[in-house]
Amino acid sequence: MALYSRAGGRPPAASAIRWKDPRRYYWLLGLLVPLSPFIGWLLVDRFHLGLFWAAGALLLVGVVPLIDLVAGVDKSNPPDQAMAALESDRYYRWCTYLFLPLQYAGLVFACYVWTTAPMGWPERFAMAATVGVVAGVGINAAHELGHKRPTHERWLAKIALAQSFYGHFYVEHNHGHHLRVATPDDPATARYGESFWAFLPRSVIGGVRSAWVHERARLRRRGARTWSVRNEVLNAWALSVVLFAVLVAAFGWSVAPWLVVQAILGFTFLEAANYLEHYGLLRGKRPDGRYERVAPEHSWNSDHVVSNVFLYHLQRHSDHHANPMRRYQTLRSMPNAPQLPAGYAVLIVLAFVPPLWRRVMDPLLLEHYDHDLSRINVQPSRV
């Protein structure tokens, strides 16, 4: 919504434009995700149905897509004159900061429930799925925070990653993925014809290896030892070790398997998002053999309103890669970017079923490149 102050019917000067974000308070809805363990408990207590322990998963793959269907898409962008004030508005930062205490309150509550509630194995797994979704969206919050310059935001990113034991993502995403995105060299870029289940181990193992290689090289340039507290991969992993050790000490070894399950589900959710964000997209090469600069057309974009609110505009991924330091509230819809047919929640479910994924996405990818396979990042086995 743009509000103009007019005098004598003349158009306002750029400096006179006042703009209010119509979604300003909608961003707080994202906090429903870390609250989902408590919501699940309330629903189980009220309706006596163990399925509701999976409230987090039901919210993300059921409720959000349905509301997305009704709300549709919104391609509107903030006016250029409002960008600086919007970027500096600390309210939006607190929307992400508040995710973390709720995230860990939910994890502690899940440990308490696993050890005290009368739950069978399916119900325990359902609760693990809920906190796994929280961990996965927590990686997304870490993604937002880890790109920023303030030291405290980078440490908050590591803390958010501790639940999923994915602290190396802090290094690999910024210094590996953003440099190699939409190339065959990037483990986090899915290839045309590659199923999610083939992509998952390649991305997980490749991401760990990439983070370690980068961090070792960084420390050597500074004359520091690789095996030290200054290693950003090791100190991030150490947070996870401490977290899991404290929870096991507080609640007993019976929570250990479920902590592992929720961590695996959490980073699987993240890798599913990675899978769909750049599927089959390829940067061209310049005459000197180097890849061209990252542009909006090298990431799939989605403007579905509700899922964007819950994921802090992660779905406006094209602008994020073109402007990685830009905060989520200022990310723009990019008209020249390839467009996803739905929000991430729907497409993640499709990714888990490769025939459905290929039926929906392969025609869109081929159309984007005018059916020219030489311009597509193709799985080697299909060449």
mmCIF file of all heavy atoms in Angstrom, residues 236-276:
data_model
loop_
_atom_site.group_PDB
_atom_site.id
_atom_site.type_symbol
_atom_site.label_atom_id
_atom_site.label_comp_id
_atom_site.label_asym_id
_atom_site.label_seq_id
_atom_site.Cartn_x
_atom_site.Cartn_y
_atom_site.Cartn_z
ATOM 1 N N ALA A 236 30.774 -24.455 15.335
ATOM 2 C CA ALA A 236 29.335 -24.612 15.110
ATOM 3 C C ALA A 236 28.888 -26.024 15.489
ATOM 4 O O ALA A 236 27.841 -26.210 16.124
ATOM 5 C CB ALA A 236 28.997 -24.317 13.649
ATOM 6 N N TRP A 237 29.667 -27.028 15.100
ATOM 7 C CA TRP A 237 29.340 -28.406 15.493
ATOM 8 C C TRP A 237 29.411 -28.579 17.006
ATOM 9 O O TRP A 237 28.636 -29.342 17.590
ATOM 10 C CB TRP A 237 30.291 -29.383 14.811
ATOM 11 C CG TRP A 237 29.987 -29.632 13.370
ATOM 12 C CD1 TRP A 237 28.832 -29.321 12.693
ATOM 13 C CD2 TRP A 237 30.849 -30.248 12.402
ATOM 14 N NE1 TRP A 237 28.920 -29.702 11.376
ATOM 15 C CE2 TRP A 237 30.133 -30.272 11.168
ATOM 16 C CE3 TRP A 237 32.131 -30.775 12.452
ATOM 17 C CZ2 TRP A 237 30.687 -30.820 9.999
ATOM 18 C CZ3 TRP A 237 32.685 -31.316 11.294
ATOM 19 C CH2 TRP A 237 31.972 -31.342 10.086
ATOM 20 N N ALA A 238 30.345 -27.871 17.641
ATOM 21 C CA ALA A 238 30.487 -27.979 19.098
ATOM 22 C C ALA A 238 29.209 -27.526 19.805
ATOM 23 O O ALA A 238 28.827 -28.091 20.842
ATOM 24 C CB ALA A 238 31.674 -27.152 19.579
ATOM 25 N N LEU A 239 28.532 -26.524 19.256
ATOM 26 C CA LEU A 239 27.264 -26.088 19.836
ATOM 27 C C LEU A 239 26.244 -27.224 19.830
ATOM 28 O O LEU A 239 25.484 -27.401 20.797
ATOM 29 C CB LEU A 239 26.712 -24.887 19.066
ATOM 30 C CG LEU A 239 27.469 -23.568 19.195
ATOM 31 C CD1 LEU A 239 26.839 -22.516 18.262
ATOM 32 C CD2 LEU A 239 27.440 -23.068 20.632
ATOM 33 N N SER A 240 26.214 -28.008 18.750
ATOM 34 C CA SER A 240 25.292 -29.135 18.673
ATOM 35 C C SER A 240 25.655 -30.210 19.693
ATOM 36 O O SER A 240 24.769 -30.784 20.344
ATOM 37 C CB SER A 240 25.304 -29.745 17.261
ATOM 38 O OG SER A 240 24.826 -28.838 16.303
ATOM 39 N N VAL A 241 26.944 -30.504 19.832
ATOM 40 C CA VAL A 241 27.382 -31.510 20.798
ATOM 41 C C VAL A 241 26.973 -31.110 22.205
ATOM 42 O O VAL A 241 26.439 -31.919 22.980
ATOM 43 C CB VAL A 241 28.909 -31.715 20.711
ATOM 44 C CG1 VAL A 241 29.394 -32.607 21.849
ATOM 45 C CG2 VAL A 241 29.295 -32.317 19.365
ATOM 46 N N VAL A 242 27.194 -29.849 22.546
ATOM 47 C CA VAL A 242 26.820 -29.361 23.875
ATOM 48 C C VAL A 242 25.310 -29.429 24.060
ATOM 49 O O VAL A 242 24.808 -29.874 25.104
ATOM 50 C CB VAL A 242 27.336 -27.914 24.081
ATOM 51 C CG1 VAL A 242 26.757 -27.320 25.363
ATOM 52 C CG2 VAL A 242 28.854 -27.900 24.121
ATOM 53 N N LEU A 243 24.562 -28.996 23.058
ATOM 54 C CA LEU A 243 23.096 -29.018 23.141
ATOM 55 C C LEU A 243 22.589 -30.433 23.370
ATOM 56 O O LEU A 243 21.788 -30.674 24.286
ATOM 57 C CB LEU A 243 22.496 -28.451 21.855
ATOM 58 C CG LEU A 243 20.974 -28.594 21.709
ATOM 59 C CD1 LEU A 243 20.243 -27.771 22.749
ATOM 60 C CD2 LEU A 243 20.542 -28.206 20.296
ATOM 61 N N PHE A 244 23.024 -31.381 22.553
ATOM 62 C CA PHE A 244 22.541 -32.749 22.676
ATOM 63 C C PHE A 244 22.972 -33.362 24.009
ATOM 64 O O PHE A 244 22.207 -34.103 24.631
ATOM 65 C CB PHE A 244 23.051 -33.597 21.504
ATOM 66 C CG PHE A 244 22.302 -33.370 20.220
ATOM 67 C CD1 PHE A 244 21.807 -32.115 19.879
ATOM 68 C CD2 PHE A 244 22.106 -34.411 19.330
ATOM 69 C CE1 PHE A 244 21.125 -31.900 18.685
ATOM 70 C CE2 PHE A 244 21.421 -34.216 18.128
ATOM 71 C CZ PHE A 244 20.934 -32.948 17.810
ATOM 72 N N ALA A 245 24.195 -33.064 24.447
ATOM 73 C CA ALA A 245 24.683 -33.598 25.715
ATOM 74 C C ALA A 245 23.853 -33.076 26.890
ATOM 75 O O ALA A 245 23.499 -33.836 27.804
ATOM 76 C CB ALA A 245 26.155 -33.231 25.907
ATOM 77 N N VAL A 246 23.519 -31.808 26.863
ATOM 78 C CA VAL A 246 22.713 -31.225 27.944
ATOM 79 C C VAL A 246 21.321 -31.851 27.966
ATOM 80 O O VAL A 246 20.782 -32.185 29.044
ATOM 81 C CB VAL A 246 22.619 -29.692 27.770
ATOM 82 C CG1 VAL A 246 21.549 -29.098 28.695
ATOM 83 C CG2 VAL A 246 23.970 -29.045 28.052
ATOM 84 N N LEU A 247 20.712 -32.040 26.801
ATOM 85 C CA LEU A 247 19.366 -32.616 26.746
ATOM 86 C C LEU A 247 19.367 -34.072 27.198
ATOM 87 O O LEU A 247 18.453 -34.511 27.911
ATOM 88 C CB LEU A 247 18.810 -32.499 25.327
ATOM 89 C CG LEU A 247 18.487 -31.076 24.864
ATOM 90 C CD1 LEU A 247 18.086 -31.067 23.394
ATOM 91 C CD2 LEU A 247 17.387 -30.452 25.714
ATOM 92 N N VAL A 248 20.397 -34.825 26.814
ATOM 93 C CA VAL A 248 20.489 -36.222 27.258
ATOM 94 C C VAL A 248 20.731 -36.276 28.762
ATOM 95 O O VAL A 248 20.145 -37.112 29.472
ATOM 96 C CB VAL A 248 21.605 -36.954 26.487
ATOM 97 C CG1 VAL A 248 21.905 -38.313 27.136
ATOM 98 C CG2 VAL A 248 21.200 -37.159 25.033
ATOM 99 N N ALA A 249 21.570 -35.382 29.281
ATOM 100 C CA ALA A 249 21.829 -35.344 30.723
ATOM 101 C C ALA A 249 20.571 -34.984 31.501
ATOM 102 O O ALA A 249 20.323 -35.504 32.593
ATOM 103 C CB ALA A 249 22.944 -34.345 31.027
ATOM 104 N N ALA A 250 19.749 -34.104 30.922
ATOM 105 C CA ALA A 250 18.542 -33.646 31.626
ATOM 106 C C ALA A 250 17.395 -34.651 31.540
ATOM 107 O O ALA A 250 16.644 -34.825 32.503
ATOM 108 C CB ALA A 250 18.105 -32.298 31.060
ATOM 109 N N PHE A 251 17.265 -35.342 30.393
ATOM 110 C CA PHE A 251 16.088 -36.184 30.174
ATOM 111 C C PHE A 251 16.401 -37.669 30.034
ATOM 112 O O PHE A 251 15.471 -38.479 29.991
ATOM 113 C CB PHE A 251 15.336 -35.702 28.924
ATOM 114 C CG PHE A 251 14.753 -34.325 29.056
ATOM 115 C CD1 PHE A 251 15.409 -33.220 28.521
ATOM 116 C CD2 PHE A 251 13.553 -34.123 29.730
ATOM 117 C CE1 PHE A 251 14.872 -31.943 28.655
ATOM 118 C CE2 PHE A 251 13.018 -32.854 29.865
ATOM 119 C CZ PHE A 251 13.678 -31.761 29.325
ATOM 120 N N GLY A 252 17.659 -38.016 29.953
ATOM 121 C CA GLY A 252 18.028 -39.418 29.839
ATOM 122 C C GLY A 252 18.306 -39.838 28.405
ATOM 123 O O GLY A 252 17.953 -39.137 27.445
ATOM 124 N N TRP A 253 18.913 -41.027 28.281
ATOM 125 C CA TRP A 253 19.312 -41.519 26.968
ATOM 126 C C TRP A 253 18.127 -41.842 26.068
ATOM 127 O O TRP A 253 18.290 -41.985 24.857
ATOM 128 C CB TRP A 253 20.207 -42.753 27.127
ATOM 129 C CG TRP A 253 21.614 -42.401 27.474
ATOM 130 C CD1 TRP A 253 22.195 -42.466 28.700
ATOM 131 C CD2 TRP A 253 22.612 -41.894 26.578
ATOM 132 N NE1 TRP A 253 23.495 -42.033 28.647
ATOM 133 C CE2 TRP A 253 23.777 -41.677 27.352
ATOM 134 C CE3 TRP A 253 22.634 -41.607 25.221
ATOM 135 C CZ2 TRP A 253 24.960 -41.191 26.789
ATOM 136 C CZ3 TRP A 253 23.810 -41.121 24.660
ATOM 137 C CH2 TRP A 253 24.952 -40.920 25.442
ATOM 138 N N SER A 254 16.939 -41.971 26.640
ATOM 139 C CA SER A 254 15.778 -42.329 25.814
ATOM 140 C C SER A 254 15.446 -41.251 24.778
ATOM 141 O O SER A 254 14.780 -41.540 23.779
ATOM 142 C CB SER A 254 14.559 -42.587 26.705
ATOM 143 O OG SER A 254 14.181 -41.415 27.414
ATOM 144 N N VAL A 255 15.909 -40.008 25.013
ATOM 145 C CA VAL A 255 15.616 -38.949 24.031
ATOM 146 C C VAL A 255 16.636 -38.920 22.898
ATOM 147 O O VAL A 255 16.382 -38.295 21.864
ATOM 148 C CB VAL A 255 15.553 -37.554 24.692
ATOM 149 C CG1 VAL A 255 14.506 -37.518 25.797
ATOM 150 C CG2 VAL A 255 16.913 -37.118 25.229
ATOM 151 N N ALA A 256 17.771 -39.603 23.086
ATOM 152 C CA ALA A 256 18.848 -39.517 22.089
ATOM 153 C C ALA A 256 18.405 -39.953 20.685
ATOM 154 O O ALA A 256 18.692 -39.246 19.703
ATOM 155 C CB ALA A 256 20.059 -40.326 22.552
ATOM 156 N N PRO A 257 17.725 -41.118 20.539
ATOM 157 C CA PRO A 257 17.312 -41.493 19.170
ATOM 158 C C PRO A 257 16.394 -40.461 18.520
ATOM 159 O O PRO A 257 16.488 -40.222 17.310
ATOM 160 C CB PRO A 257 16.579 -42.822 19.376
ATOM 161 C CG PRO A 257 17.042 -43.335 20.698
ATOM 162 C CD PRO A 257 17.325 -42.126 21.520
ATOM 163 N N TRP A 258 15.529 -39.841 19.301
ATOM 164 C CA TRP A 258 14.582 -38.881 18.736
ATOM 165 C C TRP A 258 15.263 -37.564 18.400
ATOM 166 O O TRP A 258 14.854 -36.880 17.456
ATOM 167 C CB TRP A 258 13.407 -38.677 19.685
ATOM 168 C CG TRP A 258 12.704 -39.969 19.941
ATOM 169 C CD1 TRP A 258 12.641 -40.677 21.106
ATOM 170 C CD2 TRP A 258 12.007 -40.758 18.961
ATOM 171 N NE1 TRP A 258 11.939 -41.834 20.920
ATOM 172 C CE2 TRP A 258 11.539 -41.912 19.615
ATOM 173 C CE3 TRP A 258 11.725 -40.592 17.611
ATOM 174 C CZ2 TRP A 258 10.807 -42.901 18.965
ATOM 175 C CZ3 TRP A 258 11.004 -41.574 16.950
ATOM 176 C CH2 TRP A 258 10.553 -42.704 17.613
ATOM 177 N N LEU A 259 16.317 -37.228 19.139
ATOM 178 C CA LEU A 259 17.106 -36.050 18.776
ATOM 179 C C LEU A 259 17.785 -36.268 17.423
ATOM 180 O O LEU A 259 17.866 -35.348 16.595
ATOM 181 C CB LEU A 259 18.157 -35.757 19.851
ATOM 182 C CG LEU A 259 17.618 -35.243 21.186
ATOM 183 C CD1 LEU A 259 18.755 -35.129 22.203
ATOM 184 C CD2 LEU A 259 16.923 -33.893 21.015
ATOM 185 N N VAL A 260 18.256 -37.484 17.194
ATOM 186 C CA VAL A 260 18.881 -37.804 15.903
ATOM 187 C C VAL A 260 17.838 -37.755 14.788
ATOM 188 O O VAL A 260 18.078 -37.178 13.718
ATOM 189 C CB VAL A 260 19.556 -39.193 15.960
ATOM 190 C CG1 VAL A 260 20.049 -39.605 14.573
ATOM 191 C CG2 VAL A 260 20.707 -39.183 16.952
ATOM 192 N N VAL A 261 16.662 -38.344 15.044
ATOM 193 C CA VAL A 261 15.605 -38.373 14.030
ATOM 194 C C VAL A 261 15.192 -36.959 13.641
ATOM 195 O O VAL A 261 15.084 -36.623 12.456
ATOM 196 C CB VAL A 261 14.392 -39.180 14.520
ATOM 197 C CG1 VAL A 261 13.195 -38.990 13.587
ATOM 198 C CG2 VAL A 261 14.737 -40.655 14.614
ATOM 199 N N GLN A 262 14.944 -36.103 14.639
ATOM 200 C CA GLN A 262 14.493 -34.753 14.311
ATOM 201 C C GLN A 262 15.577 -33.964 13.582
ATOM 202 O O GLN A 262 15.264 -33.142 12.714
ATOM 203 C CB GLN A 262 14.015 -34.018 15.568
ATOM 204 C CG GLN A 262 15.062 -33.724 16.630
ATOM 205 C CD GLN A 262 15.872 -32.470 16.359
ATOM 206 O OE1 GLN A 262 15.370 -31.523 15.764
ATOM 207 N NE2 GLN A 262 17.124 -32.454 16.806
ATOM 208 N N ALA A 263 16.846 -34.213 13.912
ATOM 209 C CA ALA A 263 17.930 -33.513 13.213
ATOM 210 C C ALA A 263 17.976 -33.935 11.741
ATOM 211 O O ALA A 263 18.118 -33.091 10.845
ATOM 212 C CB ALA A 263 19.270 -33.798 13.888
ATOM 213 N N ILE A 264 17.837 -35.239 11.487
ATOM 214 C CA ILE A 264 17.846 -35.733 10.104
ATOM 215 C C ILE A 264 16.670 -35.160 9.327
ATOM 216 O O ILE A 264 16.819 -34.709 8.177
ATOM 217 C CB ILE A 264 17.814 -37.276 10.090
ATOM 218 C CG1 ILE A 264 19.121 -37.836 10.650
ATOM 219 C CG2 ILE A 264 17.566 -37.795 8.673
ATOM 220 C CD1 ILE A 264 19.117 -39.338 10.839
ATOM 221 N N LEU A 265 15.490 -35.160 9.950
ATOM 222 C CA LEU A 265 14.324 -34.588 9.279
ATOM 223 C C LEU A 265 14.518 -33.094 9.020
ATOM 224 O O LEU A 265 14.108 -32.572 7.980
ATOM 225 C CB LEU A 265 13.074 -34.824 10.121
ATOM 226 C CG LEU A 265 12.623 -36.285 10.261
ATOM 227 C CD1 LEU A 265 11.455 -36.381 11.230
ATOM 228 C CD2 LEU A 265 12.237 -36.868 8.905
ATOM 229 N N GLY A 266 15.163 -32.405 9.957
ATOM 230 C CA GLY A 266 15.393 -30.969 9.804
ATOM 231 C C GLY A 266 16.272 -30.655 8.614
ATOM 232 O O GLY A 266 15.922 -29.808 7.770
ATOM 233 N N PHE A 267 17.440 -31.331 8.503
ATOM 234 C CA PHE A 267 18.299 -30.985 7.369
ATOM 235 C C PHE A 267 17.782 -31.593 6.060
ATOM 236 O O PHE A 267 18.099 -31.086 4.982
ATOM 237 C CB PHE A 267 19.769 -31.317 7.629
ATOM 238 C CG PHE A 267 20.167 -32.766 7.676
ATOM 239 C CD1 PHE A 267 20.144 -33.566 6.541
ATOM 240 C CD2 PHE A 267 20.629 -33.332 8.862
ATOM 241 C CE1 PHE A 267 20.557 -34.891 6.569
ATOM 242 C CE2 PHE A 267 21.036 -34.659 8.904
ATOM 243 C CZ PHE A 267 20.995 -35.434 7.750
ATOM 244 N N THR A 268 16.948 -32.632 6.135
ATOM 245 C CA THR A 268 16.314 -33.137 4.917
ATOM 246 C C THR A 268 15.341 -32.105 4.358
ATOM 247 O O THR A 268 15.262 -31.892 3.136
ATOM 248 C CB THR A 268 15.579 -34.459 5.196
ATOM 249 O OG1 THR A 268 16.528 -35.440 5.632
ATOM 250 C CG2 THR A 268 14.865 -34.977 3.951
ATOM 251 N N PHE A 269 14.612 -31.432 5.242
ATOM 252 C CA PHE A 269 13.725 -30.351 4.816
ATOM 253 C C PHE A 269 14.519 -29.242 4.125
ATOM 254 O O PHE A 269 14.137 -28.738 3.067
ATOM 255 C CB PHE A 269 12.971 -29.804 6.022
ATOM 256 C CG PHE A 269 12.130 -28.598 5.735
ATOM 257 C CD1 PHE A 269 10.871 -28.718 5.188
ATOM 258 C CD2 PHE A 269 12.608 -27.322 6.016
ATOM 259 C CE1 PHE A 269 10.103 -27.597 4.906
ATOM 260 C CE2 PHE A 269 11.851 -26.195 5.747
ATOM 261 C CZ PHE A 269 10.586 -26.347 5.191
ATOM 262 N N LEU A 270 15.660 -28.888 4.717
ATOM 263 C CA LEU A 270 16.520 -27.857 4.113
ATOM 264 C C LEU A 270 17.023 -28.302 2.744
ATOM 265 O O LEU A 270 16.994 -27.532 1.768
ATOM 266 C CB LEU A 270 17.683 -27.570 5.055
ATOM 267 C CG LEU A 270 18.821 -26.614 4.644
ATOM 268 C CD1 LEU A 270 19.889 -27.289 3.823
ATOM 269 C CD2 LEU A 270 18.316 -25.370 3.930
ATOM 270 N N GLU A 271 17.470 -29.531 2.638
ATOM 271 C CA GLU A 271 18.005 -30.010 1.367
ATOM 272 C C GLU A 271 16.908 -30.133 0.310
ATOM 273 O O GLU A 271 17.173 -29.975 -0.890
ATOM 274 C CB GLU A 271 18.727 -31.347 1.558
ATOM 275 C CG GLU A 271 20.003 -31.263 2.401
ATOM 276 C CD GLU A 271 21.092 -30.416 1.757
ATOM 277 O OE1 GLU A 271 20.926 -29.991 0.597
ATOM 278 O OE2 GLU A 271 22.122 -30.174 2.420
ATOM 279 N N ALA A 272 15.672 -30.401 0.743
ATOM 280 C CA ALA A 272 14.557 -30.410 -0.215
ATOM 281 C C ALA A 272 14.344 -29.018 -0.789
ATOM 282 O O ALA A 272 14.042 -28.862 -1.983
ATOM 283 C CB ALA A 272 13.284 -30.926 0.455
ATOM 284 N N ALA A 273 14.488 -28.000 0.055
ATOM 285 C CA ALA A 273 14.397 -26.623 -0.443
ATOM 286 C C ALA A 273 15.551 -26.325 -1.407
ATOM 287 O O ALA A 273 15.359 -25.718 -2.467
ATOM 288 C CB ALA A 273 14.403 -25.640 0.720
ATOM 289 N N ASN A 274 16.764 -26.770 -1.050
ATOM 290 C CA ASN A 274 17.894 -26.609 -1.961
ATOM 291 C C ASN A 274 17.605 -27.256 -3.316
ATOM 292 O O ASN A 274 17.930 -26.706 -4.373
ATOM 293 C CB ASN A 274 19.159 -27.253 -1.368
ATOM 294 C CG ASN A 274 19.903 -26.337 -0.420
ATOM 295 O OD1 ASN A 274 19.750 -25.127 -0.456
ATOM 296 N ND2 ASN A 274 20.721 -26.930 0.436
ATOM 297 N N TYR A 275 17.016 -28.426 -3.267
ATOM 298 C CA TYR A 275 16.744 -29.195 -4.488
ATOM 299 C C TYR A 275 15.878 -28.408 -5.464
ATOM 300 O O TYR A 275 16.143 -28.369 -6.670
ATOM 301 C CB TYR A 275 16.070 -30.510 -4.104
ATOM 302 C CG TYR A 275 15.661 -31.387 -5.262
ATOM 303 C CD1 TYR A 275 16.608 -32.138 -5.957
ATOM 304 C CD2 TYR A 275 14.324 -31.486 -5.654
ATOM 305 C CE1 TYR A 275 16.232 -32.958 -7.016
ATOM 306 C CE2 TYR A 275 13.941 -32.304 -6.715
ATOM 307 C CZ TYR A 275 14.899 -33.033 -7.387
ATOM 308 O OH TYR A 275 14.520 -33.847 -8.436
ATOM 309 N N LEU A 276 14.847 -27.777 -4.963
ATOM 310 C CA LEU A 276 13.909 -27.112 -5.866
ATOM 311 C C LEU A 276 14.351 -25.698 -6.255
ATOM 312 O O LEU A 276 13.888 -25.155 -7.258
ATOM 313 C CB LEU A 276 12.506 -27.086 -5.256
ATOM 314 C CG LEU A 276 12.282 -26.303 -3.954
ATOM 315 C CD1 LEU A 276 11.883 -24.866 -4.234
ATOM 316 C CD2 LEU A 276 11.189 -26.984 -3.124
#
